[in-house]
Amino acid sequence: MMMLASTAVVALLAGSAVPAHASRAENYGEYSRMSVRSAGQFWADGKAAGQWAWKPRSSTTSGISWGDPAAWPPDSSETFVREGDWVMLDGWADNGTYYKLRITKEQIGDGRCQNLRTLATTGRQHYVKWNIPSQPYCLKAWGTLTEESSGKIVTFGHTQIWSPPAPCSNRHYGAQTCIKQWESWWDDKSAPGKPITRKLERDQFIARDIGMAFTILQHYPKQWRADLRSHWTW
């Protein structure tokens, strides 16, 4: 899953440069390619580390799968819905069932996760703004995942910081323009009813007209880097 901050990371995000072209109205679709049948494969340590593929289901809804290219297609697929100026996360299919995500509280703030205000207390998760702002912003969400086959509930917390377009590069594509997502995901899946614990922390760079996972820098549970090596439509 595209899933769910340290002081140093936040400071880096806050200092990201905004190129001149950022003044033109751009949107998340131009970077993620969620509105077209698009796919990409990313590599780490000299071999394929994973693959993603978007499959639009309507003019507003699209699913993205992440998995091993040697065992494609995967069972899992996240569902995103565009509602006005927001892309909302509804949940994901996996293990032969669907995990419906619903928030109990959301906040939005500046790029340092300060000046927070309540965004919502029910419904799908506000995942990312469709129209890309010129300044970074923070999203904090708390809620539940319901396994529809069993009714089992997992409690989660998800913090994201989205940064505006800036120069980026990787070893396979060279210089491009990316938006950056920093995210930290916490849940109680391993100990239901106990306090949520951190499961993932990473940066993801998403490149304009190329797509997801242009570069992934994972900070937790271990240091790891992957770079997109190829992308296509299908």
Side-chain angles (χ1 to χ4, degrees):
M1 139 181 188
M2 298 166 55
M3 304 192 237
L4 345 127
S6 78
T7 302
V9 174
V10 173
L12 178 62
L13 289 166
S16 297
V18 180
H21 67 254
S23 61
R24 178 178 69 82
E26 293 189 291
N27 63 61
Y28 180 71
E30 295 176 79
Y31 285 77
S32 66
R33 302 180 73 216
M34 69 174 285
S35 300
V36 296
R37 288 193 172 202
S38 56
Q41 188 175 109
F42 49 96
W43 281 48
D45 303 319
K47 60 184 179 182
Q51 186 166 298
W52 55 265
W54 283 107
K55 184 178 182 180
R57 301 170 189 166
S58 71
S59 60
T60 59
T61 303
S62 190
I64 185 170
S65 296
W66 298 80
D68 180 354
W72 198 265
D75 294 331
S76 61
S77 177
E78 296 174 278
T79 298
F80 290 90
V81 181
R82 183 182 171 192
E83 295 182 0
D85 190 36
W86 286 97
V87 176
M88 315 289 284
L89 176 58
D90 183 77
W92 56 86
D94 200 3
N95 301 318
T97 187
Y98 192 74
Y99 296 86
K100 183 173 69 175
L101 184 152
R102 292 296 181 265
I103 62 97
T104 53
K105 182 180 180 180
E106 283 185 314
Q107 295 178 316
I108 186 169
D110 60 30
R112 297 178 182 271
C113 286
Q114 297 177 355
N115 301 308
L116 294 165
R117 60 178 176 81
T118 299
L119 181 60
T121 55
T122 60
R124 300 182 176 110
Q125 181 185 354
H126 290 74
Y127 191 81
V128 63
K129 290 186 176 182
W130 179 256
N131 293 305
I132 300 172
S134 60
Q135 298 296 321
Y137 62 98
C138 172
L139 295 170
K140 298 177 78 70
W142 298 266
T144 59
L145 289 164
T146 301
E147 185 178 65
E148 294 194 335
S149 62
S150 68
K152 178 182 176 181
I153 294 176
V154 172
T155 302
F156 76 88
H158 190 201
T159 300
Q160 302 181 89
I161 298 175
W162 288 93
S163 294
C168 60
S169 65
N170 76 19
R171 67 197 69 184
H172 306 298
Y173 281 87
Q176 302 293 330
T177 300
C178 292
I179 56 175
K180 179 163 71 168
Q181 174 206 37
W182 173 88
E183 66 174 340
S184 179
W185 177 271
W186 299 53
D187 65 40
D188 67 354
K189 183 178 180 181
S190 57
K194 301 293 185 179
I196 60 175
T197 58
R198 182 173 59 157
K199 299 300 194 299
L200 177 70
E201 183 180 320
R202 71 176 186 175
D203 292 302
Q204 178 186 191
F205 294 79
I206 304 171
R208 185 205 294 141
D209 299 325
I210 294 175
M212 311 296 289
F214 182 75
T215 294
I216 296 173
L217 300 175
Q218 182 175 284
H219 310 297
Y220 186 87
K222 66 177 181 179
Q223 296 283 333
W224 182 76
R225 174 177 177 141
D227 291 297
L228 196 71
R229 181 165 176 167
S230 60
H231 74 285
W232 61 94
T233 56
W234 59 281

